[in-house]
Amino acid sequence: MPTKSRTDTTSFVIDVPYKLIETGLTEEKPLIIYLHGFNQNIEYLEKKVHRMLEFQAYHLFIQAPYPIYDKKQNRQVEQWGRAWYLYDGDQEQFLKSMEKASEFIQKLVNDITEDLKINRTCLFGYSMGAYLGGYFALSRPEYLTELITIGGRIKTEAFEGKRAKANHINILALHGSNDTSVYPEPQKKCVEQLQKDGFKAEFRLVDAGHKLEDVFINETVEWLHSLDYSER
């Protein structure tokens, strides 16, 4: 029988794809960061938001770090869906996992924008990407000027007493009125809290479910126009 045992953790590195697309002729322009939903990837999201590429901007599509195994074995590894964080119902684990993913995004943004002329930064997050986008915005407010969440929730309660430092961020929270995967009312309450905290935050309920439908992209484009984002 063993007299000693040891349980600990170690690190494992995995390659995570990203795609940077530059549109427009002007040198100084916005950076738009795109975060996909659960079990999706950057290829899927790029197709869904193709209209956004009309904006003169640097468009950064980041793939989530956790691969979702394809049980049907119909797709190659690079086509597998991904997840942004690990969630088992434990809130401490949830926040720890989102912090790790946010560190990953922060490092990538720092690395690829070193030589780019950026005048503002918008984060676009859908579903699981919206949850992470909200966490990234409130934990690293110096990185963003705009935040768009679709079908997610900004976890304001995780930043009690710390939210004010992020109230320069313009926020649009879009939600489907028929969304039964992530119900709209909790997100609406979070946006109302942000408004009390001095944020320019807007909650819009649209006639849709949880899927990333064109109506969400149309609302996003309209809102960015109102903030002087320019199309080609």
Side-chain angles (χ1 to χ4, degrees):
M1 299 235 356
T3 57
K4 293 183 179 179
S5 65
R6 178 176 178 175
T7 302
D8 205 339
T9 61
T10 188
S11 298
F12 179 79
V13 178
I14 185 170
D15 290 335
V16 179
Y18 70 87
K19 186 173 185 179
L20 181 65
I21 302 171
E22 181 182 358
T23 56
L25 299 176
T26 59
E27 272 192 50
E28 189 175 84
K29 51 195 164 189
L31 169 68
I32 305 177
I33 303 168
Y34 300 87
L35 306 183
H36 61 74
F38 174 74
N39 204 17
Q40 297 171 356
N41 53 37
I42 56 177
E43 181 182 8
Y44 170 87
L45 188 57
E46 185 183 346
K47 290 177 182 177
K48 284 290 185 178
V49 303
H50 64 91
R51 189 183 169 196
M52 298 278 289
L53 298 180
E54 291 300 316
F55 284 108
Q56 296 189 61
Y58 297 101
H59 302 266
L60 176 59
F61 292 86
I62 309 175
Q63 195 145 288
Y66 299 103
I68 309 296
Y69 183 74
D70 179 23
K71 294 181 180 179
K72 295 182 179 179
Q73 298 184 339
N74 292 328
R75 297 180 292 173
Q76 296 179 327
V77 172
E78 59 267 24
Q79 297 172 317
W80 288 3
R82 303 291 177 106
W84 282 108
Y85 47 77
L86 304 174
Y87 180 65
D88 59 2
D90 184 313
Q91 287 297 308
E92 184 177 350
Q93 165 63 33
F94 182 30
L95 295 175
K96 181 180 178 181
S97 191
M98 286 206 291
E99 176 60 25
K100 276 188 168 293
S102 295
E103 287 175 0
F104 156 70
I105 292 173
Q106 177 181 337
K107 183 179 185 305
L108 176 59
V109 170
N110 286 342
D111 289 346
I112 69 169
T113 60
E114 191 173 346
D115 299 321
L116 302 181
K117 293 183 178 179
I118 294 168
N119 54 21
R120 61 202 301 178
T121 301
C122 173
L123 191 153
F124 174 103
Y126 163 64
S127 191
M128 187 182 240
Y131 274 88
L132 182 60
Y135 182 91
F136 185 89
L138 294 183
S139 64
R140 293 156 173 82
E142 68 274 16
Y143 279 81
L144 300 183
T145 46
E146 280 81 42
L147 170 68
I148 300 162
T149 67
I150 298 174
R153 185 171 80 80
I154 302 170
K155 289 184 68 65
T156 53
E157 71 276 12
F159 296 91
E160 205 64 51
K162 302 176 182 177
R163 294 186 294 265
K165 65 180 181 178
N167 65 12
H168 64 277
I169 300 175
N170 299 304
I171 297 176
L172 174 65
L174 297 172
H175 224 101
S177 58
N178 303 313
D179 191 338
T180 56
S181 296
V182 180
Y183 292 104
E185 189 58 33
Q187 175 71 308
K188 183 174 183 289
K189 289 181 179 178
C190 289
V191 172
E192 289 171 350
Q193 178 61 62
L194 291 171
Q195 290 169 344
K196 291 177 183 177
D197 293 335
F199 284 77
K200 292 181 180 178
E202 182 179 354
F203 176 83
R204 292 186 190 177
L205 200 60
V206 302
D207 185 15
H210 189 70
K211 289 183 179 179
L212 188 53
E213 300 179 35
D214 288 345
V215 62
F216 291 120
I217 307 305
N218 295 338
E219 292 282 342
T220 296
V221 169
E222 175 192 310
W223 186 71
L224 290 176
H225 277 152
S226 74
L227 295 175
D228 297 322
Y229 278 70
S230 301
E231 293 194 48
R232 288 181 283 171

